[in-house]
Amino acid sequence: MTVTIPAATAAPVAGPPAPVRRRRPRRSTPLTIAMFAALAYFLLPLFWLLVSSTKNTQDLFTTFGLWFSHSPQLLANIEAAVTYDGGVFVRWLLNTLLYAVVSAVGAALLAAAAGYGFAKFRFRGSTAWFNLVIGAVMVPTTALAIPTYLLFAQVGLVNTAWAVILPSLVNPFGLFLMRVYAQDAVPDQVIEAARIDGAGELRIFAGIALRMLAPGLVTVVLFTLVATWNNYFLPLIMLNDPKLYPVTVGLASWAAQAQNGGAGASSEMLPLVVTGSLLSIVPLVIAFLLLQRYWQSGLAAGSVKQ
Amino acid sequence: MSVVSAGPRRAGLLFVTPFMVLFLLLFLTPLGYAAYLSLFQHKLIGGTTFVGLDNYAKAVTDPQFLRGVLRVATFFVIQVPLMLVLALLFALALDSGLMRLARVVRLGIFVPYAVPSVVAALMWGYLYGPDYGPFAQLGRLLHVPVPRFLSETWMLGSLSNVVSWEFVGYNMIILYAALRSVSPELYEAAAVDGAGAWRIAWSIKLPALRPALVLTLLFSVIGSFQLFNEPKLLQPLAPDVIDSGFTANLYAYSLAFTGQQVNYAATVSFLLGLVIVAVSYGFLFASNRRRAV
């Protein structure tokens, strides 16, 4: 298979882009207004979610959706969400945290080691193996999920935490990023010098190269973290024990209960779904805003250098 | 390509082996197993028998499967250009240096990417609601007719909106990052030659964005053709519109888990994967050829 994406050139990988000195053009008010209108659209559902999390069932149906009611009860809703059904929601959050962190750290380390191996060593079949993995970037994960489920069912892995974690450990795009990154971030002279000093290859990697790869590593961790945190299809098909659910599958099951019962019957579910949704996105949104520098640099490394 | 000359060859293998073993077990083996399963049929009477390519022959004439593929292809044609054009305009606006508070806007537009598609679909599902959704409420208040977002006519548009809401910011950041890596000397040289902002955007920025645009397009092909989460979450709100074969992936899912037709589900998954890989490589090929010309 011939693959054309990863024709990575040898230009240095962009870190967080250096502040570019440009002549400051005049600020445009119409443009600023237009972009704030766009911003309003992107924040609208989140604002709705925040407002709705303060309402009881009746207010959810009878008051205007985009403004607060007279009797806000955010704390009561949060309490209801985290104590419902013996605190199952907290368990879902912890499951998500476990799946996301183990997958992200594991995937990043595997991709870093392999990326370093492909970038700095030439061995028999290295080009062919690398191209094989890059070809897999195009294979959609969802199309792979049902086959993986069928295979895991054969070996008794379904309905375990491994069923969600193992498939997330293999990240072909992460390998591509790490190879591009390792190419330039770890100078050959450093490796040579360490060898002359008598360091073993593993020690060179763990003690020296890994630190130089850290920014790329963080990017892959973030990508996998978000992908696993937000994953729905894979855990949906792999798990049927609600105690193992991540928060996405759990929330969807609550939503199905709220809707199936009709508006009246199981109406106490609706505030739970809304408040649970809010609680589930808060950690990731905060992490996102704090770490946004890495997103940009990682995406730059992946997309610019084709 | 720089390769450490005296590097021990075995060390390279050592570093790539863990990844490659898992890749083999978790990527190639499921694909192979699905290919294997797709060659069999299971019947209540007679058990499992080898049927060659019968399942494929069935799938390519199966109206439900074809309808699902056609629907995601239509979705792709509607949603992806809209999303990428918006992402491109936003990236150019942010990069132009012409607006105030660009950082706030950039972060705000990017934030939906951190929201799980499950939550995104649930939120928009409630917002779309014909009874207590805020748009319907506003419409009643102002006596303005509001489209029935969850009806058959509007469903693909409504789904496009949810997916665009999630991913415009992500694509914008990819394009913005690519723009930031353009050397400022190019702009200065163009300005000296008398090029205006639009001319610079068209003649320097767009060509520089080409690889990044190809990348976003490829991710979008993969994303649209395996559309599942959003229709699955909106299904309970509009059960008459979104049936079990609404998208190709929903069809594969319901075959495997409701219909228990494991062999046929494997066939459909495998075919869907093939369609996606073919479309992706088609785009890649077209973009490379145009670059070569």
Side-chain angles (χ1 to χ4, degrees), chain A residues 4 20 22-23 26-28 32 41-42 45 48 61 63-65 113 119 129 140 142 150 154 166 188 192 195 201 230 232-233 237 255 259 270 284 292 299 306, chain B residues 2 4 8 11 15 20 22 26 30 33 95 98-100 103 110 114 116 118 122 124 126 132 137 161 165 173 184 191 211 226 228-229 236 249 257 262 276 288:
Chain A
T4 38
V20 180
R22 280 187 211 170
R23 274 186 308 165
R26 245 169 353 107
R27 305 283 185 171
S28 158
T32 306
Y41 161 79
F42 286 99
W48 173 86
F61 286 104
T63 58
F64 179 52
W129 282 117
T142 333
L150 298 173
Q154 289 297 313
L166 282 176
D188 294 346
E192 294 284 13
R195 276 192 193 129
E201 295 296 331
N230 295 349
Y232 173 64
F233 190 65
I237 64 176
Q259 284 154 356
L270 198 55
L284 208 55
Q292 52 107 9
L299 289 166
Q306 290 180 43
Chain B
S2 66
V4 179
F15 288 121
M20 293 311 294
L22 284 178
L26 298 165
Y33 186 57
D95 185 64
L98 288 172
M99 53 174 300
R100 298 183 189 92
R103 211 180 117 83
F110 188 37
V118 167
L122 287 176
W124 280 106
Y126 289 120
Y132 53 89
Q137 285 175 336
N161 175 55
W165 182 81
I173 290 286
Q226 57 181 343
F228 177 86
N229 294 0
N249 219 350
F257 296 97
V262 171
I276 296 176
N288 280 339

Coordinates of all heavy atoms in Angstrom, one line a residue, chain A residues 4 20 22-23 26-28 32 41-42 45 48 61 63-65 113 119 129 140 142 150 154 166 188 192 195 201 230 232-233 237 255 259 270 284 292 299 306, chain B residues 2 4 8 11 15 20 22 26 30 33 95 98-100 103 110 114 116 118 122 124 126 132 137 161 165 173 184 191 211 226 228-229 236 249 257 262 276 288:
Chain A
T4 N 0.6 8.5 1.2 CA 1.3 9.7 0.9 C 1.2 10.8 2.0 O 1.8 11.8 1.9 CB 0.6 10.3 -0.4 OG1 -0.7 10.0 -0.4 CG2 1.3 9.8 -1.6
V20 N 4.4 36.2 16.7 CA 4.9 36.7 15.4 C 4.7 38.2 15.4 O 3.7 38.7 15.8 CB 4.1 36.1 14.3 CG1 4.6 36.7 12.9 CG2 4.2 34.6 14.3
R22 N 4.0 41.4 13.7 CA 3.4 41.8 12.5 C 3.0 43.2 12.7 O 2.7 43.7 13.8 CB 2.2 41.0 12.1 CG 2.5 39.7 11.5 CD 1.3 39.0 11.1 NE 1.4 37.6 11.2 CZ 0.5 36.7 11.1 NH1 -0.7 37.2 10.9 NH2 0.7 35.5 11.2
R23 N 2.9 43.9 11.5 CA 2.3 45.2 11.6 C 0.9 45.1 12.0 O 0.1 44.3 11.5 CB 2.4 45.9 10.2 CG 3.7 46.6 10.0 CD 3.7 47.4 8.8 NE 3.2 46.5 7.7 CZ 2.8 47.0 6.5 NH1 2.8 48.3 6.3 NH2 2.5 46.2 5.5
R26 N -5.5 47.9 11.4 CA -6.5 48.5 12.2 C -7.6 47.5 12.6 O -7.9 46.6 11.8 CB -7.2 49.6 11.4 CG -7.0 51.0 11.9 CD -7.4 52.1 11.0 NE -7.8 51.6 9.6 CZ -9.0 51.6 9.2 NH1 -10.0 51.9 10.0 NH2 -9.3 51.2 8.0
R27 N -8.1 47.6 13.9 CA -9.1 46.6 14.3 C -10.4 46.9 13.6 O -10.7 48.0 13.3 CB -9.3 46.8 15.8 CG -8.1 46.7 16.6 CD -7.7 45.3 16.8 NE -6.6 45.2 17.7 CZ -6.1 44.0 18.1 NH1 -6.7 42.9 17.8 NH2 -5.1 44.0 18.9
S28 N -11.1 45.8 13.3 CA -12.3 45.9 12.5 C -13.5 45.6 13.5 O -13.6 44.5 14.0 CB -12.3 45.0 11.3 OG -13.6 44.7 10.9
T32 N -15.4 41.9 14.5 CA -15.4 41.5 15.9 C -16.9 41.2 16.3 O -17.1 40.2 16.9 CB -14.9 42.7 16.8 OG1 -13.6 43.0 16.4 CG2 -14.9 42.2 18.2
Y41 N -23.5 31.5 19.3 CA -24.0 30.3 18.8 C -23.4 29.1 19.5 O -24.0 28.1 19.9 CB -23.9 30.2 17.3 CG -24.0 28.8 16.7 CD1 -25.3 28.2 16.6 CD2 -22.9 28.1 16.4 CE1 -25.4 26.9 16.1 CE2 -23.0 26.8 15.9 CZ -24.3 26.2 15.7 OH -24.4 24.9 15.2
F42 N -22.0 29.1 19.6 CA -21.3 28.0 20.1 C -21.5 27.8 21.6 O -21.4 26.8 22.2 CB -19.8 28.0 19.8 CG -19.6 27.7 18.4 CD1 -19.4 28.7 17.4 CD2 -19.6 26.4 17.9 CE1 -19.2 28.4 16.1 CE2 -19.3 26.1 16.6 CZ -19.2 27.1 15.7
P45 N -25.9 26.3 23.6 CA -26.3 25.1 24.2 C -25.7 24.9 25.6 O -26.4 24.4 26.5 CB -25.8 24.0 23.3 CG -25.6 24.7 22.0 CD -25.2 26.1 22.3
W48 N -27.7 27.0 27.9 CA -29.0 26.4 28.2 C -28.8 25.3 29.2 O -29.6 25.1 30.1 CB -29.5 25.7 26.9 CG -30.7 24.9 27.1 CD1 -32.0 25.3 27.1 CD2 -30.7 23.5 27.3 NE1 -32.8 24.2 27.4 CE2 -32.1 23.1 27.5 CE3 -29.8 22.5 27.4 CZ2 -32.5 21.8 27.8 CZ3 -30.1 21.2 27.7 CH2 -31.5 20.9 27.9
F61 N -40.3 22.3 32.0 CA -41.4 22.3 30.9 C -42.1 23.6 30.8 O -42.6 24.0 29.7 CB -42.4 21.2 31.2 CG -41.8 19.8 30.9 CD1 -41.4 19.0 32.0 CD2 -41.7 19.4 29.6 CE1 -40.9 17.7 31.7 CE2 -41.1 18.2 29.3 CZ -40.7 17.3 30.4
T63 N -41.1 27.0 32.1 CA -40.4 28.3 32.1 C -39.6 28.4 30.8 O -39.4 27.4 30.1 CB -39.5 28.5 33.2 OG1 -38.5 27.4 33.2 CG2 -40.2 28.5 34.6
F64 N -39.3 29.6 30.4 CA -38.5 29.8 29.2 C -37.1 29.1 29.3 O -36.4 29.3 30.3 CB -38.3 31.3 29.0 CG -37.5 31.6 27.7 CD1 -37.9 31.1 26.5 CD2 -36.4 32.5 27.8 CE1 -37.1 31.3 25.4 CE2 -35.7 32.8 26.7 CZ -36.0 32.2 25.5
G65 N -36.8 28.4 28.3 CA -35.6 27.5 28.4 C -34.3 28.2 28.5 O -33.3 27.7 29.1
A113 N 7.3 5.3 22.2 CA 8.3 4.3 22.0 C 8.4 3.9 20.5 O 9.5 3.9 19.9 CB 8.1 3.1 22.9
A119 N 11.6 6.5 14.0 CA 12.3 7.7 13.6 C 13.8 7.5 13.7 O 14.6 8.1 12.8 CB 11.9 8.9 14.4
W129 N 6.3 -1.7 7.8 CA 5.5 -1.7 9.1 C 4.9 -0.3 9.3 O 3.7 -0.2 9.6 CB 6.4 -2.1 10.3 CG 6.6 -3.5 10.4 CD1 7.9 -4.1 10.4 CD2 5.7 -4.6 10.6 NE1 7.7 -5.5 10.5 CE2 6.4 -5.8 10.7 CE3 4.3 -4.6 10.7 CZ2 5.8 -7.0 10.9 CZ3 3.7 -5.8 10.9 CH2 4.4 -7.0 11.0
P140 N -11.9 3.4 9.9 CA -12.7 4.1 10.9 C -12.9 3.2 12.2 O -13.1 2.0 12.1 CB -14.1 4.2 10.3 CG -14.1 3.2 9.2 CD -12.7 3.0 8.8
T142 N -15.2 3.0 14.4 CA -16.5 2.5 14.6 C -16.7 1.2 13.8 O -17.3 0.3 14.2 CB -17.6 3.5 14.3 OG1 -17.1 4.8 14.5 CG2 -18.8 3.3 15.2
L150 N -17.0 -8.8 18.4 CA -17.2 -10.2 18.0 C -16.0 -11.0 18.5 O -16.1 -12.1 19.0 CB -17.4 -10.4 16.5 CG -18.7 -9.7 16.0 CD1 -18.7 -9.8 14.5 CD2 -19.9 -10.3 16.6
Q154 N -15.4 -13.9 21.8 CA -14.8 -15.2 21.7 C -13.9 -15.5 22.8 O -13.7 -16.6 23.3 CB -14.1 -15.4 20.3 CG -15.0 -15.5 19.1 CD -15.9 -16.7 19.2 OE1 -15.4 -17.8 19.4 NE2 -17.1 -16.5 18.9
L166 N -8.3 -1.7 26.1 CA -7.4 -2.2 25.1 C -7.5 -1.6 23.7 O -6.5 -1.2 23.1 CB -7.6 -3.8 25.0 CG -6.9 -4.6 26.1 CD1 -7.3 -6.1 26.0 CD2 -5.4 -4.4 26.1
D188 N 20.3 13.4 16.8 CA 21.1 12.2 16.7 C 22.3 12.3 17.6 O 22.8 11.3 18.2 CB 21.5 11.9 15.3 CG 20.3 11.6 14.4 OD1 19.2 11.3 15.0 OD2 20.4 11.6 13.2
E192 N 24.0 9.5 20.1 CA 25.4 9.0 19.9 C 26.2 9.3 21.1 O 26.9 8.4 21.6 CB 26.0 9.8 18.7 CG 25.4 9.5 17.4 CD 25.8 8.1 16.8 OE1 26.3 7.3 17.6 OE2 25.5 7.9 15.6
R195 N 25.5 6.9 23.8 CA 26.0 5.6 23.5 C 27.5 5.5 23.9 O 28.0 4.5 24.4 CB 25.8 5.3 22.1 CG 24.4 4.7 21.8 CD 24.3 4.1 20.4 NE 22.9 3.9 20.1 CZ 22.3 4.4 19.1 NH1 22.9 5.0 18.1 NH2 21.0 4.2 18.9
E201 N 20.3 1.3 25.2 CA 19.3 1.9 24.4 C 18.0 2.2 25.2 O 17.4 3.3 25.1 CB 18.9 1.0 23.3 CG 20.0 0.8 22.3 CD 20.4 2.0 21.6 OE1 19.6 2.9 21.4 OE2 21.6 2.1 21.2
N230 N -15.0 10.9 25.6 CA -16.2 11.1 24.9 C -16.7 9.8 24.2 O -17.8 9.9 23.5 CB -15.9 12.2 23.8 CG -15.6 13.5 24.5 OD1 -15.8 13.7 25.7 ND2 -15.2 14.5 23.7
Y232 N -18.5 6.7 23.0 CA -19.8 6.1 23.3 C -20.1 4.8 22.7 O -20.5 3.8 23.3 CB -20.9 7.1 22.8 CG -22.3 6.6 23.0 CD1 -22.9 6.4 24.2 CD2 -23.1 6.4 21.8 CE1 -24.2 5.9 24.3 CE2 -24.4 6.0 22.0 CZ -24.9 5.7 23.2 OH -26.2 5.3 23.3
F233 N -19.7 4.7 21.4 CA -20.1 3.5 20.6 C -19.4 2.2 21.2 O -20.0 1.2 21.5 CB -19.7 3.6 19.2 CG -20.2 2.6 18.3 CD1 -21.5 2.4 18.1 CD2 -19.3 1.7 17.6 CE1 -22.0 1.4 17.2 CE2 -19.7 0.7 16.8 CZ -21.1 0.6 16.6
I237 N -21.3 -1.1 23.1 CA -21.5 -2.4 22.7 C -20.7 -3.4 23.5 O -21.1 -4.6 23.6 CB -21.1 -2.6 21.2 CG1 -19.6 -2.3 21.0 CG2 -21.9 -1.7 20.3 CD1 -19.1 -2.5 19.6
A255 N -31.2 9.1 29.8 CA -32.0 9.9 28.9 C -33.0 9.0 28.2 O -34.2 9.4 28.0 CB -31.1 10.5 27.8
Q259 N -37.1 9.5 28.4 CA -37.9 9.7 27.2 C -38.9 8.6 27.0 O -40.0 8.9 26.7 CB -37.0 9.8 26.0 CG -36.3 11.2 25.9 CD -35.0 11.2 25.1 OE1 -34.6 10.1 24.7 NE2 -34.4 12.3 25.0
L270 N -35.6 13.7 34.2 CA -35.1 14.7 33.3 C -34.1 15.7 34.0 O -33.0 15.9 33.4 CB -36.3 15.5 32.8 CG -36.0 16.3 31.5 CD1 -35.4 15.4 30.4 CD2 -37.3 17.0 31.0
L284 N -13.6 18.1 31.8 CA -12.9 18.2 30.6 C -12.8 19.6 30.0 O -11.8 20.0 29.5 CB -13.7 17.3 29.6 CG -12.8 16.7 28.5 CD1 -11.7 15.9 29.1 CD2 -13.6 15.8 27.6
Q292 N -4.8 24.3 26.6 CA -5.1 24.6 25.1 C -3.9 24.8 24.3 O -3.8 24.6 23.1 CB -6.1 25.7 25.0 CG -5.7 27.0 25.7 CD -5.3 28.1 24.8 OE1 -5.4 27.9 23.6 NE2 -4.8 29.1 25.4
L299 N -1.6 19.9 17.0 CA -2.3 19.9 15.7 C -1.4 20.5 14.6 O -1.5 20.1 13.5 CB -3.6 20.7 15.9 CG -4.7 20.0 16.7 CD1 -5.8 20.9 17.1 CD2 -5.2 18.8 16.0
Q306 N 3.0 17.8 6.1 CA 2.6 16.7 5.3 C 3.5 16.7 4.1 O 3.8 17.7 3.6 CB 1.2 16.7 4.9 CG 0.3 16.5 6.1 CD -1.1 16.5 5.6 OE1 -1.5 16.0 4.6 NE2 -2.0 17.1 6.4
Chain B
S2 N 16.8 11.1 9.0 CA 18.1 10.9 9.7 C 18.0 9.6 10.6 O 17.1 9.4 11.3 CB 18.3 12.1 10.7 OG 17.2 12.1 11.6
V4 N 20.3 7.1 13.0 CA 21.6 6.9 13.7 C 22.3 5.7 13.1 O 21.8 4.6 13.1 CB 21.3 6.6 15.2 CG1 22.6 6.4 15.9 CG2 20.6 7.8 15.8
P8 N 22.1 0.0 17.1 CA 21.9 -1.4 17.1 C 20.5 -1.6 16.5 O 19.5 -1.0 16.9 CB 22.0 -1.8 18.5 CG 22.1 -0.6 19.4 CD 22.2 0.6 18.5
A11 N 17.5 -2.8 18.8 CA 16.9 -1.8 19.7 C 15.7 -1.2 19.0 O 14.7 -1.0 19.7 CB 17.9 -0.8 20.1
F15 N 11.7 -1.1 20.5 CA 10.8 0.0 20.7 C 9.5 -0.1 20.0 O 8.5 0.3 20.5 CB 11.5 1.3 20.3 CG 12.6 1.7 21.3 CD1 13.9 1.9 20.8 CD2 12.4 1.9 22.6 CE1 14.9 2.2 21.7 CE2 13.4 2.2 23.5 CZ 14.7 2.4 23.0
M20 N 3.4 -2.6 17.9 CA 3.0 -3.4 16.7 C 2.3 -4.7 17.2 O 1.4 -5.1 16.5 CB 4.3 -3.8 15.9 CG 5.0 -2.7 15.2 SD 3.9 -1.6 14.3 CE 3.4 -2.7 13.0
L22 N 0.2 -5.0 19.8 CA -1.2 -4.6 20.0 C -1.9 -4.2 18.7 O -3.1 -4.5 18.6 CB -1.2 -3.4 21.0 CG -0.9 -3.8 22.5 CD1 -0.9 -2.5 23.3 CD2 -1.9 -4.7 23.0
L26 N -5.2 -6.0 18.0 CA -6.5 -5.2 18.2 C -6.9 -4.5 16.9 O -7.9 -3.8 16.9 CB -6.2 -4.2 19.3 CG -6.0 -4.8 20.6 CD1 -5.4 -3.8 21.6 CD2 -7.2 -5.5 21.2
P30 N -9.1 -8.2 14.5 CA -10.6 -8.0 14.3 C -11.0 -7.9 12.9 O -12.0 -8.4 12.5 CB -10.8 -6.7 15.1 CG -9.7 -6.5 16.0 CD -8.5 -7.2 15.4
Y33 N -10.9 -11.2 11.4 CA -11.9 -12.1 11.9 C -13.3 -11.7 11.3 O -14.1 -12.5 11.0 CB -12.0 -11.9 13.5 CG -13.0 -12.8 14.2 CD1 -12.9 -14.2 14.0 CD2 -14.0 -12.3 15.0 CE1 -13.8 -15.0 14.7 CE2 -14.9 -13.1 15.6 CZ -14.8 -14.5 15.5 OH -15.7 -15.3 16.1
D95 N -6.7 34.9 12.4 CA -5.4 35.1 12.0 C -5.1 36.5 11.5 O -4.0 37.0 11.4 CB -5.0 34.0 11.0 CG -3.5 34.1 10.6 OD1 -2.7 33.9 11.5 OD2 -3.2 34.5 9.5
L98 N -7.4 41.4 12.9 CA -8.3 42.5 12.8 C -9.3 42.6 13.9 O -10.1 43.6 13.9 CB -9.0 42.4 11.4 CG -8.2 42.7 10.2 CD1 -9.0 42.4 8.9 CD2 -7.7 44.2 10.2
M99 N -9.4 41.5 14.7 CA -10.5 41.6 15.7 C -10.0 41.7 17.1 O -8.9 41.3 17.4 CB -11.4 40.4 15.5 CG -10.7 39.1 15.5 SD -11.9 37.8 15.5 CE -12.8 38.2 17.0
R100 N -10.9 42.2 17.9 CA -10.6 42.3 19.4 C -10.9 41.0 20.1 O -11.8 40.3 19.6 CB -11.4 43.5 20.0 CG -11.0 44.8 19.3 CD -11.7 45.9 20.0 NE -11.5 47.1 19.2 CZ -12.3 47.5 18.2 NH1 -13.4 46.9 17.9 NH2 -12.0 48.6 17.5
R103 N -8.6 35.8 21.3 CA -8.2 34.7 22.1 C -9.5 34.1 22.8 O -9.7 32.8 22.8 CB -7.3 35.1 23.2 CG -6.3 34.1 23.7 CD -5.4 34.7 24.8 NE -5.6 34.0 26.0 CZ -5.0 32.8 26.3 NH1 -4.2 32.3 25.4 NH2 -5.3 32.2 27.4
F110 N -13.8 26.7 20.3 CA -13.2 25.4 20.4 C -13.8 24.5 21.5 O -13.7 23.3 21.4 CB -11.7 25.6 20.6 CG -10.8 24.4 20.6 CD1 -11.1 23.3 19.7 CD2 -9.8 24.2 21.4 CE1 -10.3 22.2 19.6 CE2 -8.9 23.1 21.4 CZ -9.2 22.1 20.5
A114 N -14.7 19.7 23.5 CA -14.5 18.9 24.8 C -15.8 18.3 25.3 O -15.8 17.6 26.3 CB -14.0 19.9 25.8
P116 N -18.8 15.7 25.1 CA -19.0 14.4 24.5 C -20.2 14.5 23.5 O -21.1 15.3 23.8 CB -19.4 13.5 25.7 CG -18.8 14.1 26.9 CD -18.8 15.6 26.6
V118 N -22.5 12.5 23.1 CA -23.7 12.1 23.7 C -24.4 13.4 24.4 O -25.6 13.6 24.2 CB -23.4 11.1 24.8 CG1 -24.6 10.9 25.8 CG2 -23.0 9.8 24.2
L122 N -27.8 15.2 23.3 CA -28.9 15.4 24.3 C -29.3 16.9 24.4 O -30.5 17.2 24.3 CB -28.5 14.9 25.6 CG -28.4 13.4 25.8 CD1 -27.8 13.1 27.2 CD2 -29.7 12.7 25.6
W124 N -28.9 19.4 22.2 CA -29.6 19.9 21.0 C -30.9 19.2 20.9 O -31.9 19.8 20.4 CB -28.7 19.7 19.7 CG -27.7 20.7 19.6 CD1 -26.3 20.6 19.8 CD2 -27.9 22.1 19.2 NE1 -25.7 21.8 19.6 CE2 -26.6 22.7 19.2 CE3 -29.0 22.9 18.8 CZ2 -26.4 24.0 18.8 CZ3 -28.8 24.2 18.5 CH2 -27.5 24.8 18.5
Y126 N -33.0 18.5 23.2 CA -34.0 19.3 24.0 C -34.2 20.7 23.4 O -35.3 21.2 23.4 CB -33.4 19.5 25.5 CG -33.5 18.2 26.3 CD1 -32.3 17.7 26.8 CD2 -34.7 17.6 26.5 CE1 -32.4 16.5 27.5 CE2 -34.7 16.4 27.2 CZ -33.6 15.8 27.7 OH -33.6 14.7 28.4
Y132 N -41.4 22.1 24.4 CA -40.8 23.0 25.5 C -39.4 23.4 25.1 O -38.6 24.0 25.9 CB -40.7 22.3 26.8 CG -40.1 20.9 26.7 CD1 -38.7 20.7 26.9 CD2 -40.9 19.8 26.5 CE1 -38.1 19.5 26.8 CE2 -40.3 18.5 26.4 CZ -38.9 18.4 26.6 OH -38.3 17.2 26.5
Q137 N -40.6 27.8 21.9 CA -41.2 28.8 22.9 C -41.1 30.2 22.3 O -42.1 30.9 22.3 CB -40.4 28.7 24.2 CG -40.7 27.5 25.1 CD -39.8 27.5 26.3 OE1 -38.8 28.1 26.4 NE2 -40.3 26.8 27.3
N161 N -26.3 20.3 12.0 CA -26.0 21.3 13.0 C -25.3 20.8 14.3 O -24.4 21.4 14.7 CB -27.4 22.0 13.4 CG -27.2 23.0 14.4 OD1 -26.4 24.0 14.3 ND2 -27.9 22.9 15.5
W165 N -21.6 21.9 15.2 CA -21.4 22.6 16.5 C -20.2 21.9 17.2 O -19.4 22.6 17.8 CB -22.7 22.5 17.4 CG -22.6 23.1 18.7 CD1 -22.7 24.5 18.9 CD2 -22.3 22.5 19.9 NE1 -22.5 24.7 20.3 CE2 -22.2 23.6 20.9 CE3 -22.0 21.2 20.3 CZ2 -22.0 23.3 22.3 CZ3 -21.7 21.0 21.7 CH2 -21.7 22.0 22.6
I173 N -9.1 25.1 14.7 CA -7.8 25.2 15.4 C -6.8 24.5 14.5 O -5.6 25.0 14.4 CB -7.9 24.4 16.8 CG1 -8.8 25.3 17.7 CG2 -6.5 24.2 17.3 CD1 -8.1 26.5 18.3
P184 N 6.0 35.2 8.5 CA 5.5 36.5 8.4 C 6.2 37.3 7.3 O 5.6 38.3 6.7 CB 5.8 37.1 9.7 CG 6.8 36.2 10.4 CD 6.6 34.9 9.8
A191 N 2.8 42.6 1.1 CA 2.3 43.9 1.4 C 3.1 45.0 0.7 O 2.6 46.0 0.2 CB 2.3 44.2 2.9
P211 N -2.4 21.4 2.9 CA -2.3 20.2 3.6 C -3.2 20.0 4.8 O -3.8 19.0 5.0 CB -0.8 20.2 4.1 CG -0.2 21.3 3.4 CD -1.2 22.2 2.9
Q226 N -19.2 7.2 9.4 CA -19.6 6.3 10.5 C -20.5 7.0 11.5 O -20.6 6.6 12.6 CB -18.3 5.8 11.2 CG -17.4 6.8 11.7 CD -16.2 6.2 12.3 OE1 -16.1 5.0 12.6 NE2 -15.1 7.0 12.6
F228 N -23.1 7.8 14.0 CA -23.8 6.9 14.8 C -24.4 7.6 16.1 O -25.6 7.5 16.3 CB -22.9 5.7 15.3 CG -23.6 4.7 16.2 CD1 -24.4 3.7 15.7 CD2 -23.5 4.8 17.6 CE1 -25.1 2.8 16.5 CE2 -24.1 4.0 18.4 CZ -24.9 2.9 17.9
N229 N -23.5 8.2 16.9 CA -23.9 8.7 18.2 C -25.1 9.6 18.1 O -26.1 9.5 18.9 CB -22.7 9.4 18.9 CG -21.6 8.5 19.2 OD1 -21.7 7.3 18.9 ND2 -20.5 9.0 19.8
P236 N -34.9 8.3 20.2 CA -36.0 8.2 21.1 C -36.9 9.5 20.9 O -38.1 9.4 21.2 CB -35.5 8.2 22.5 CG -34.1 7.7 22.3 CD -33.6 8.2 21.0
N249 N -24.0 2.7 9.9 CA -23.5 2.2 11.2 C -24.6 1.8 12.1 O -24.5 0.8 12.9 CB -22.6 3.3 11.8 CG -21.4 2.7 12.4 OD1 -21.3 1.5 12.6 ND2 -20.5 3.5 12.9
F257 N -26.8 -6.5 17.3 CA -27.3 -6.5 18.7 C -28.8 -6.7 18.9 O -29.3 -7.2 19.9 CB -26.8 -5.3 19.5 CG -25.3 -5.2 19.6 CD1 -24.6 -4.5 18.7 CD2 -24.7 -6.0 20.5 CE1 -23.2 -4.5 18.7 CE2 -23.3 -6.0 20.6 CZ -22.6 -5.2 19.7
V262 N -24.9 -12.0 13.3 CA -23.5 -11.7 13.5 C -22.7 -11.7 12.2 O -22.0 -10.8 11.9 CB -22.8 -12.7 14.5 CG1 -21.3 -12.5 14.5 CG2 -23.4 -12.5 15.9
I276 N -15.3 3.8 3.3 CA -14.7 4.9 3.9 C -13.2 5.0 3.4 O -12.7 6.1 3.0 CB -14.7 4.8 5.5 CG1 -16.2 4.9 5.9 CG2 -13.9 5.9 6.1 CD1 -16.4 4.8 7.4
N288 N -3.5 15.1 -4.3 CA -2.1 14.9 -4.7 C -1.9 15.2 -6.2 O -0.9 15.8 -6.6 CB -1.6 13.5 -4.4 CG -1.2 13.4 -2.9 OD1 -1.0 14.4 -2.2 ND2 -1.2 12.2 -2.4

